[in-house]
Amino acid sequence: KQWYQRRVAITAGNQGRPGPPNEVTSEGKPQHNSIRISWNPPPNPNGIITAYHIYVNGNRVGVTEADKCNFHVKDLPHSTSVKIQVAGVTKAGEGELTP
């Protein structure tokens, strides 16, 4: 018996990782432990956006569906300042975070 090994590469087609979403805005105050953020889809999606990842101070705290460009961030650390970032996701993976 002969045995063959085959390698298969899976690609995301013509999709790439998206650029960052833009016009991120927030309502509320971190001192109150929650804020609502919203954003516009990336101007350079490089494919079909399938989700958005939301980060607080570098830690992912949420995921939204592609058609939902807002998120309620709860249980924020007791602080007067937090860094909120959003990244779009395509089949190629997570894109750039907002600044």
Side-chain angles (χ1 to χ4, degrees), residues 52-68:
Y52 290 98
H53 292 168
I54 294 86
Y55 292 83
V56 174
N57 295 336
N59 298 309
R60 191 165 86 184
V61 297
V63 177
T64 69
E65 297 175 7
D67 62 345
K68 188 175 177 187

Side-chain angles (χ1 to χ4, degrees), residues 10-16 46-47 90-93:
I10 299 173
T11 63
N14 292 331
Q15 296 197 35
N46 296 323
T90 65
K91 287 184 180 180

Side-chain angles (χ1 to χ4, degrees), residues 63-92:
V63 177
T64 69
E65 297 175 7
D67 62 345
K68 188 175 177 187
C69 290
N70 61 70
F71 187 78
H72 191 182
V73 182
K74 299 177 184 178
D75 301 323
L76 288 169
H78 295 280
S79 175
T80 57
S81 175
V82 293
K83 184 170 187 172
I84 304 286
Q85 294 175 289
V86 180
V89 180
T90 65
K91 287 184 180 180

